[in-house]
Each structure stands twice: as structure tokens, then as C-alpha cells.
Amino acid sequence: MLTDPLDLAIVGAGRVGTALGMLLQRAGHRIVAASGRADTVWRVQKFLPGVPVVPPRQAVTGAQVVILGVPDDSIRVICSNISTGLHRGMVVIHLSGALGLEVLSPAAHWGAYPVALHPLQSIPEVEAGLKRIPSSAFAVTASHETAWQLGERLARDAGGVPMRVSSQNKSLYHAAAVFASNYLTTVEAIAEQLFTTAGIKDTRTAMGPLAIATLSNIVREGPTRSLTGPVVRGDVGTIERNLDALKQAAPEAIPAYVALAIAAAGIAERSGRLSYQDRRRVEEVLARWR
């Protein structure tokens, strides 16, 4: 199983499941069946032509590997529903970034290997997944070495870079992903609002080069060395002026500014770029705005 082409079933052929299925099909694996909600039929016809769309229990028949591309809250239920069609030696994979292996316990009960395989990427559409999944990191979680190796193989076959994440660390891993993507977007949304309030009409032109340069620095040098701004300089006067301006124009942004400034001060001190005394001065200013 670790070297031969595999027969795969996709239960929940949504955006991620379908994109992953296409990439694995291109790598030589066979998609023997798919299942899902009402829009699955047209999606499979478009991206995986010739693959039969059948009920979940029927989809797993004849498959060596079952991929569950269903919402997190449905994984355990769907896994339980298909478990009677599983047998020892099969592999059941879920694609959740937040969940470990416990939700696949019904499959493990029947002797199947549970695996979690999560592409660390934003995939709003199937086409985007086909472009973004290759070269992206994959969190691979398993409980047996054979299953670890199979998960890593599938990640590589999809063009990704496998990284082992233990089941107990999945929630922490997912929290990191939320900061890396969702909260990054949130911070940029706040910045866009403030630029607009400051009279900047073309906010994307204003923000874009700075945001792109910052991300480029982070990828090249790491977040700690890329951190700039008044907190790193210990510039309490600028911090105070920023907060005064927010009080007048956008007071709802003050809690986010203060929380991020406190975090930045800690990063700056630990990296040796901000003295303990200057960190204390920064925090004294911020404390007045909590």
C-alpha cells in the first residue's frame, strides 16, 4: 500500500476533498467513488468525470483509503455510518485542521487505520485548491508508523510538504493557523478601516506594498526579525499619539491595538531588541488604555 497506486473513495467531495482527489488522481491513484450533498454531483462531473456518486456506505466498498471531506462536526457521525463497510487494514482519513484521531474511533474499532491529513492552505474554490495545495504544508497525524508513512506519501503525491503533528497538538496547531491566516486578515481589515477614516480612498494601493513587503520579510527572515514599529523602538510618544487618534476616530480599534502592542513588546524583549526597562515603559502607557 505504501508504493502501489491506491483506490480512494471521497466521502464529502466538497472544495477541499475534490481538489485533493484531483491532485491524487494526477499522481496515479484511482478515485473509485464519491459521495456528498446535492452539489456534489455537478462538482464530481466537472472535476472528476467518470467517478460514480453514490451514498457514503456504498462509496467505501472496494476502496483502500476513505477520505472524509465533511465538516468537523459531522466527521464522527459519518465515520460511524460507514464503519460497517470498513475492514482491517483500510485507512480512513479526515481533513480537519482542528481535530485529532479521536473522531475516527469508529473506524479504528473495525481495524482501520485512522489518519488526519490537513493541507495548511486557504481553499475557497476547487480551482484555488489545485493551485495552492502543491507546495503547501500538510499536517499529518496517525497512531501507527504504517499510517504515518501513508499519510506522508499522500501529502507528497498531492505536491505538499508533510509535517507530523501529534493528535493532542492538533488544536494548538489549528490555533496557530488561525493566527497565521484568519487574524492576519482581521488585522488588515482594521487597517483598511483606519486608512479610510484617515481620508485614504484607494486603501488597497496604500496597504498592498507594505503588507506584501512585510509578509516577504517574514517568510525570508522570520517574524521576530521582521517586527518593526514604535513598540520595538520603545517609542512611547508615538504609541500614545496613536491611541489618542484612535480614541477620536475609531475607539473600537483600541483593544486590538493594545493587545497586539503588548504581544509585540514581549516578542521584542525576548529577541533582545527591546530592553526590560523600555518594555515596562511601553506597558505602562498601554495599561492606561485597557
Side-chain angles (χ1 to χ4, degrees):
M1 183 179 289
L2 293 177
T3 58
D4 297 332
L6 298 168
D7 292 333
L8 310 174
I10 304 174
V11 177
R15 299 184 305 273
V16 180
T18 301
L20 182 60
M22 286 187 69
L23 292 169
L24 293 175
Q25 187 179 64
R26 292 175 183 177
H29 300 293
R30 296 175 290 268
I31 311 299
V32 298
S35 68
R37 294 180 290 191
D39 55 355
T40 297
V41 175
W42 72 261
R43 188 181 293 110
V44 170
Q45 288 175 344
K46 178 179 180 180
F47 295 105
L48 295 168
V51 173
V53 179
V54 297
R57 291 183 184 178
Q58 185 179 343
V60 305
T61 303
Q64 297 168 285
V65 177
V66 178
I67 298 174
L68 301 181
V70 301
D72 288 11
D73 291 344
S74 301
I75 292 174
R76 184 185 293 273
V77 173
I78 298 298
C79 184
S80 180
N81 288 344
I82 66 170
S83 62
T84 55
L86 304 177
H87 57 76
R88 185 170 299 278
M90 290 181 68
V91 176
V92 178
I93 297 173
H94 76 65
L95 305 178
S96 168
L99 299 177
L101 301 179
E102 66 282 351
V103 291
L104 297 179
S105 57
H109 176 75
W110 290 91
Y113 290 114
V115 175
L117 190 65
H118 179 250
L120 187 56
Q121 188 52 265
S122 174
I123 306 174
E125 300 294 342
V126 174
E127 293 88 349
L130 295 175
K131 295 178 181 179
R132 296 176 181 179
I133 289 176
S135 77
S136 294
F138 271 72
V140 182
T141 304
S143 56
H144 297 83
E145 185 58 31
T146 298
W148 281 110
Q149 292 181 25
L150 182 118
E152 290 170 333
R153 178 199 173 186
L154 291 178
R156 286 190 292 267
D157 287 349
V161 181
M163 299 181 179
R164 293 192 177 193
V165 179
S166 67
S167 189
Q168 60 266 30
N169 281 340
K170 280 298 293 291
S171 292
L172 182 60
Y173 155 85
H174 193 261
V178 168
F179 273 99
S181 177
N182 309 139
Y183 292 160
L184 176 62
T185 304
T186 302
V187 167
E188 293 302 317
I190 295 172
E192 181 179 53
Q193 175 195 352
L194 297 177
F195 277 125
T196 299
T197 305
I200 304 296
K201 294 182 178 180
D202 190 352
T203 57
R204 293 185 183 179
T205 297
M207 296 166 52
L210 175 60
I212 291 170
T214 300
L215 280 174
S216 178
N217 289 340
I218 290 169
V219 172
R220 186 176 61 252
E221 303 288 346
T224 299
R225 293 186 63 183
S226 302
L227 184 62
T228 61
V231 170
V232 178
R233 299 191 300 268
D235 187 352
V236 294
T238 296
I239 295 170
E240 192 82 66
R241 285 189 290 274
N242 285 169
L243 289 164
D244 280 330
L246 291 177
K247 180 180 179 180
Q248 299 300 319
E252 68 279 3
I254 291 175
Y257 186 103
V258 170
L260 291 169
I262 291 172
I267 294 169
E269 188 198 0
R270 288 192 295 273
S271 66
R273 300 177 62 198
L274 184 70
S275 69
Y276 173 78
Q277 292 76 13
D278 283 342
R279 177 181 178 179
R280 293 291 298 167
R281 291 174 61 238
V282 168
E283 290 179 339
E284 286 172 4
V285 170
L286 296 172
R288 296 199 294 269
W289 291 88
R290 285 183 172 178

